[in-house]
Amino acid sequence: MELFATKGYETTTVDEIAATAGVARRTFFRHFRSKEEAIFPDHDDTLVRAQAVLDAAPPHENPLDTVCRGIKEVMKMYAASPKGSVARYKLTREVPALREREIASVARYERLFTRYLLGHFDEEAHRDGVSGYDEPLLAEVAASAVVTAHNHVLRRWLRSGGVGDVEAQLDHAFAIVRRTFGTGFGASRPASGTPAATAERRDEVLVTVARTDAPLGEIMATIERALGRG
Amino acid sequence: MELFATKGYETTTVDEIAATAGVARRTFFRHFRSKEEAIFPDHDDTLVRAQAVLDAAPPHENPLDTVCRGIKEVMKMYAASPKGSVARYKLTREVPALREREIASVARYERLFTRYLLGHFDEEAHRDGVSGYDEPLLAEVAASAVVTAHNHVLRRWLRSGGVGDVEAQLDHAFAIVRRTFGTGFGASRPASGTPAATAERRDEVLVTVARTDAPLGEIMATIERALGRG
């Protein structure tokens, strides 16, 4: 990173990198296939860790929560070395080859999460016997929303010099996105075993979701409890 | 497109394209800067049309609806020549340079819509005097959701050979996305002048959004009307 910052990325050779690191050129190429790869060494490992989070998810966790935990593995990788991440970000903005590589990495996470959500939305929809529900569409949209929120928080943190608790900022961002867009998630498919009515207060608003066959008295009691007037 | 399909994209020269089109090489370069540009000639114009849709939006239209109408301009461009769009899609999948160019185009639409939503969410939030609301985050997530839904429908249509009414498919997809993710949009910021409580039936579920200071009787009457029991 020091070499790239002082000499420029394009003009720095692998020989110079190897010499500065005190290793042979062959050693460099045992670890990395290219200069680009030396800049982004961790995406393969991070994908494996994100996949592991998905694989180990508790069976009744909301699949969107699982995916949010999955992408936190990416954030942790950046947060582990703020200075290095900021330097790499600056470089990435200047070198088109690195930017393309980064776009490709983002696409890999999106595909991983889309596949996961697809499997899990699908399962739920089948269990509830709901048809006309477009799982592939919703899985891709949800995965892209999670990845976009993550990238937004990451970019803001990198631009501000990598200062502050970016993982907490990510949790906060997910909470805002879920509060804003997530309300109706699954609303068109009431899961069996869920209560007939639920109510949730958010600031000055009360959102109630009820089965259309729920007794009115039960809906009312739920609302009164949520408003603290029951 | 015929030349690319028979001779291959990389090996087809601009001279051959010009000769096949019956024009001089100079004439080709008056219209296009490169072979890539000849493949994607319409994105600049389409961006201008999408921008015009945003600029001419009725003042009280939901900004998400405006953006959905904006991206329909992109879909119309593809739908105008299904055969050409399908051929270009096949080519794009095979030629990395074209795929990168397409990714860059998608990013331009996303930025256009993010900027628009940012301006409009912001306005609403300021009017309602709500703080702690992360407009840049939500604008980017919403823009990416709209673009992802559009690309999903477009890709499905192109893979199926460009058959069927893709604009109607897009409207249907937006309806599903809005039904699933759009419920709570703005729920944390009750706009002044909106009713104290609203209720909407969707299949077997009733979703009610109420101000926390709404009279219980009014909430109940709204629910009864929506359920058709009032």
Side-chain angles (χ1 to χ4, degrees), chain A residues 201 204 227 229, chain B residues 196 210-216 219:
Chain A
R201 250 190 112 130
E204 300 148 63
L227 288 175
R229 304 190 205 162
Chain B
R211 304 180 70 105
T212 46
D213 60 359
L216 276 179
I219 301 180

Side-chain angles (χ1 to χ4, degrees), chain A residues 6 27 30-31 62 73 82 111 116 119 141 149 194 205 218 221 223:
Chain A
T6 52
T27 308
R30 248 204 316 273
H31 291 279
N62 181 318
E73 294 299 320
R111 277 196 298 274
Y116 180 80
V141 169
T194 54
V205 172
E218 191 170 336
I223 289 176

